[in-house]
Amino acid sequence: MAPIDPHSYTDSTHPLTTHISLSFYFDFPSSTIFSSALLTLSAPHSGEFTVDTRSLSITAVLDPTTRTPLPFTLQNPNRILGQSLTITLSNHSQFLIISKTSTSSSALQWLSPPQTFNKSFPFVYTQCQAIHARSIFPCQDTPAARIKYSAKLNVPRFLSAVMAAKHVNRRDPVIGETQGACEDSLWCGDGRIVEEFVMEQPVPTYLFAFAVGELGCREVGPRTRVYSEAVPGVLDAAAREFAGTEDMINVGEGLFGGYEWERFDLLVLPPSFPYRGMENPRMTFLTPTVIKGDATGAQVVAHELAHSWTGNLITNKTNDHFWLNEGFTTYAERRIVEAVQGKERAVLNVGIGWRGLVKEMERFKDYLEFTKLKTNQEGVDPDDVYSQVPYEKGFQFLWRIERQIGRPAFDEFLKKYIATFKFQSIDTDIFIDFLKANVPGIENQIDLKVWTEGTGIPPDAMEPVSEIYTKIVSLANEFKIGRMPNEDEVADWGGQEWELYLEHLPKSVEASQVSALDARYRLSESKDYEVKVAFLHLAIASRCSNYYTEVEKTLKEVGRMKYLRPLYTALVQGIGKEEEKIFAMRVFSEAGACYHPIAQGVVEAIFEKHM
Ligand code: BES
Ligand code: ZN
């Protein structure tokens, strides 16, 4: 067996899956999906065939025409990879797998009615990136495989479903369409409805996504609707926040070529959604914390939209080359932001990103592998090493090339890159070969090896020059010698300016300084979680225990890993922190059940490392 991807049991000598036909029966009382998956391969295969699973029970594997069982074994349990499901095929190009999820299926968060905004109905949603699709249905869970699919979601009639796919129909269930997922009597039971979807473009499995709940929506543009739990206040605020989406799609099309996915809808999730945004095709998933009436909501949308070209059209072949997804997208996001919000805003974002990159170098000082663009993630859980490096070092690399050849030439290059590799999964070497072929002599001007294979920040990376950025950094430096910015100096600061200021303060300061800053600017009460969390992080690092009530409240309100990671780490990292450790464990024991399983895993890993 030759693995194709360090994060998958997919065998490089086996044909890849080209299509999956799914039937899902959602059983909310037991938080279980009963499913059947009909996999179609690119060629008939005989002998062993392996797919990925995690926390699934496999009921049967069947020949789809004769319905005869095919032999299978579930083996190799592994903390990171899950389990391999090996089936014996005899010249099959299709086979049917009947399985069911469990409550530890890591892609799924099931919310009981009290955990939702309206408190009346349950809610369930997915997060499949990096390697969680395998916890919903068995598949070759590697971005090296691009797969089309169709899906029938059988849900209670009082709920509706959305997917990162085209909605075809909402209709009554029909006898004989379960493909074995469950009994016909259950499928066609009282009060059930089927929502049907198709994904007609081939996508990697990490982009598989759905949500089921009491959903509502608002129109925001000719190809954009915003969905969320049916809460008029949330929907209206979201529609206002994202009103500029169509302008951004147009900018994206001008820069990177036509938008290939027909629709660009948005889904605002409950506060436990573990990321700021996730680029599920046709339906970006967003945390509600980005809705705060400033420029940043649109920036997150710009990022997820940019993935429509970089990531979803051209995908990293494995997570070792994750920078091809996120570095390109960060670059593309900033070009969109520059076009719609102006250069100053875009440069400020480059500054925030630079700071993030510098901080990651400190985090990974003993794991230099993860300061590289091209990484080796053998034996590594991608969720554990998620960082700003692929984003910001990737951005820096592309910006360096842009500076070398000039923007017009770089724009041409990008368009050609996207047109050449669209709907493919590629690796760093393919990109570098393409770069050398299209920009002759580039390897003599930029040390491409240092950039892609070297550790740390290359000497020709660049901290941005911007008036606001420089001013904020110098004010932060003055804080170190005891001067706080005065009201005039911060009069026009928004959340991003404060975030940058706080990020530039020393790691810890005198407790009295923390309190003085807060007394003046009330940062601990900010409605903007970025600002609030950056402040609370400083407070914890400075051992200001009077803020712990606010820390606890925050950790119980939101489940975004961007907040959980630094707050829990600051609490438990270091020596002589017994009280903080007890506090952190108590808060997690009370709040953890409301986090998405991926976030629970990340917090547990932090505890394991530091206790
Ligand atoms: N694809 C990522 C989110 C992700 C990465 C999920 C890896 C799981 C594994 C998404 O596009 C992203 O980068 N989100 C950022 C926001 C963005 C504005 C930088 C986030 O959530 O912080
Ligand atoms: Zn991204």
Side-chain angles (χ1 to χ4, degrees):
M1 130 123 202
I4 197 170
D5 176 332
H7 298 122
S8 172
Y9 285 112
T10 300
D11 188 318
S12 62
T13 63
H14 294 171
L16 290 176
T17 311
T18 55
H19 188 274
I20 305 183
S21 162
L22 295 158
S23 296
F24 286 172
Y25 179 91
F26 287 76
D27 186 51
F28 280 93
S30 67
S31 301
T32 306
I33 300 173
F34 297 91
S35 87
S36 65
L38 175 67
L39 276 70
T40 304
L41 309 180
S42 61
H45 186 74
S46 292
E48 295 196 330
F49 185 85
T50 307
V51 292
D52 297 295
T53 76
R54 184 206 302 283
S55 315
L56 295 180
S57 351
I58 309 299
T59 314
V61 183
L62 304 172
D63 177 307
T65 26
T66 62
R67 297 264 153 183
T68 44
L70 298 171
F72 69 85
T73 50
L74 204 53
Q75 296 166 303
N76 305 315
N78 176 286
R79 184 182 70 84
I80 299 164
L81 300 183
Q83 275 187 295
S84 62
L85 171 66
T86 300
I87 304 153
T88 308
L89 300 178
S90 319
N91 202 33
H92 286 91
S93 56
Q94 284 195 320
F95 57 92
L96 186 62
I97 309 175
I98 316 292
S99 65
K100 62 179 192 177
T101 62
S102 71
T103 47
S104 38
S105 284
S106 54
L108 299 169
Q109 186 175 19
W110 297 85
L111 300 174
S112 63
Q115 291 172 317
T116 65
F117 200 97
N118 281 341
K119 317 263 178 247
S120 312
F121 298 105
F123 193 101
V124 61
Y125 72 92
T126 59
Q127 168 58 45
C128 288
Q129 199 180 15
I131 48 170
H132 301 283
R134 66 192 65 177
S135 75
I136 310 177
F137 57 93
C139 55
Q140 289 173 313
D141 196 7
T142 165
R146 301 185 71 104
I147 304 170
K148 299 180 185 178
Y149 67 85
S150 60
K152 295 186 178 76
L153 273 47
N154 184 307
V155 303
R157 194 175 273 279
F158 51 80
L159 302 180
S160 50
V162 290
M163 280 197 92
K166 183 192 271 188
H167 187 229
V168 190
N169 211 350
R170 176 181 168 96
R171 54 158 180 84
D172 289 331
V174 175
I175 287 183
E177 65 178 353
T178 69
Q179 290 186 142
C182 64
E183 297 293 325
D184 276 334
S185 57
L186 197 58
W187 185 266
C188 299
D190 272 354
R192 303 296 296 191
I193 197 95
V194 170
E195 301 257 28
E196 259 188 280
F197 299 87
V198 286
M199 175 36 89
E200 291 162 327
Q201 289 124 314
V203 290
T205 46
Y206 74 82
L207 293 176
F208 178 86
F210 62 71
V212 181
E214 185 201 17
L215 300 173
C217 69
R218 294 276 185 279
E219 297 290 334
V220 289
R223 36 190 163 174
T224 306
R225 229 173 276 147
V226 58
Y227 292 82
S228 77
E229 207 190 314
V231 183
V234 174
L235 284 165
D236 291 336
R240 272 195 303 278
E241 186 87 23
F242 306 125
T245 303
E246 178 62 21
D247 290 346
M248 296 202 291
I249 306 175
N250 288 325
V251 169
E253 292 197 297
L255 286 168
F256 315 119
Y259 181 76
E260 300 260 359
W261 306 90
E262 192 179 338
R263 293 208 47 93
F264 181 70
D265 291 324
L266 305 168
L267 172 67
V268 176
L269 286 135
S272 57
F273 184 61
Y275 292 94
R276 244 184 306 178
M278 176 65 213
E279 68 272 25
N280 297 316
R282 298 175 67 105
M283 176 77 67
T284 276
F285 283 24
L286 294 167
T287 163
T289 63
V290 299
I291 303 174
K292 52 194 182 192
D294 67 4
T296 56
Q299 287 168 14
V300 177
V301 172
H303 179 93
E304 305 315 335
L305 169 66
H307 272 302
S308 306
W309 292 272
T310 51
N312 299 7
L313 271 191
I314 305 179
T315 307
N316 49 218
K317 196 175 259 172
T318 75
N319 230 63
D320 285 345
H321 309 276
F322 188 49
W323 81 273
L324 289 174
N325 271 15
E326 296 300 346
F328 271 86
T329 298
T330 303
Y331 178 87
E333 165 207 330
R334 288 180 182 150
R335 292 295 302 273
I336 297 174
V337 167
E338 182 181 319
V340 297
Q341 298 183 350
K343 199 158 180 109
E344 196 55 60
R345 243 327 103 178
V347 175
L348 188 66
N349 288 349
V350 178
I352 293 175
W354 174 266
R355 187 68 202 163
L357 181 60
V358 171
K359 268 187 30 193
E360 298 292 27
M361 295 302 146
E362 174 63 23
R363 168 179 165 203
F364 290 130
K365 64 179 189 312
D366 300 325
Y367 307 90
L368 288 177
E369 182 63 25
F370 306 114
T371 68
K372 295 179 183 170
L373 283 184
K374 188 162 105 184
T375 54
N376 176 0
Q377 297 191 10
E378 187 86 54
V380 173
D381 183 340
D383 290 336
D384 288 345
V385 294
Y386 177 79
S387 86
Q388 292 304 302
V389 173
Y391 293 77
E392 298 299 340
K393 189 172 175 180
F395 166 82
Q396 284 285 340
F397 182 31
L398 299 173
W399 195 32
R400 172 72 187 86
I401 302 170
E402 184 204 311
R403 288 201 299 278
Q404 185 67 40
I405 67 177
R407 186 169 269 193
F410 191 64
D411 283 357
E412 278 314 300
F413 170 78
L414 266 186
K415 271 202 177 130
K416 188 166 174 199
Y417 168 67
I418 293 163
T420 305
F421 295 110
K422 69 180 185 180
F423 293 112
Q424 296 182 35
S425 301
I426 67 165
D427 60 20
T428 305
D429 290 348
I430 294 180
F431 168 69
I432 292 297
D433 288 345
F434 184 79
L435 176 67
K436 286 187 196 158
N438 285 276
V439 187
I442 190 78
E443 65 272 33
N444 306 321
Q445 295 155 331
I446 300 176
D447 194 332
L448 303 176
K449 238 189 162 55
V450 163
W451 272 99
T452 54
E453 293 172 25
T455 59
I457 305 178
D460 51 344
M462 193 167 106
E463 189 170 7
V465 191
S466 117
E467 223 174 284
I468 313 182
Y469 180 77
T470 316
K471 177 91 200 138
I472 293 171
V473 174
S474 83
L475 281 172
N477 286 334
E478 287 180 26
F479 187 84
K480 296 175 197 165
I481 50 167
R483 188 177 95 78
M484 219 185 282
N486 61 42
E487 275 74 4
D488 285 347
E489 286 166 319
V490 304
D492 54 359
W493 281 14
Q496 284 186 307
E497 285 83 354
W498 275 111
E499 194 190 343
L500 194 58
Y501 178 77
L502 290 165
E503 294 277 326
H504 273 85
L505 295 181
K507 245 209 222 128
S508 68
V509 297
E510 289 295 318
S512 61
Q513 279 184 294
V514 174
S515 305
L517 183 66
D518 194 43
R520 193 145 167 194
Y521 294 113
R522 302 260 163 241
L523 301 174
S524 65
E525 295 160 24
S526 175
K527 297 255 174 309
D528 186 334
Y529 278 102
E530 299 326 299
V531 176
K532 184 177 181 151
V533 169
F535 175 80
L536 292 175
H537 185 254
L538 178 74
I540 298 170
S542 311
R543 313 290 291 265
C544 281
S545 50
N546 50 323
Y547 286 105
Y548 287 5
T549 324
E550 203 54 51
V551 172
E552 175 167 353
K553 209 169 131 243
T554 306
L555 290 171
K556 288 182 171 173
E557 275 166 2
V558 287
R560 248 183 75 188
M561 295 199 284
K562 169 131 190 272
Y563 307 143
L564 304 185
R565 218 189 274 273
L567 292 181
Y568 278 111
T569 305
L571 284 169
V572 301
Q573 189 176 40
I575 36 172
K577 291 278 210 54
E578 292 327 306
E579 249 172 66
E580 280 88 348
K581 285 182 182 173
I582 293 167
F583 169 74
M585 288 207 294
R586 177 182 60 75
V587 174
F588 182 59
S589 71
E590 292 166 16
C594 293
Y595 298 160
H596 189 283
I598 299 173
Q600 290 178 19
V602 161
V603 179
E604 279 158 8
I606 293 171
F607 285 175
E608 233 167 74
K609 184 165 167 208
H610 295 289
M611 307 227 194

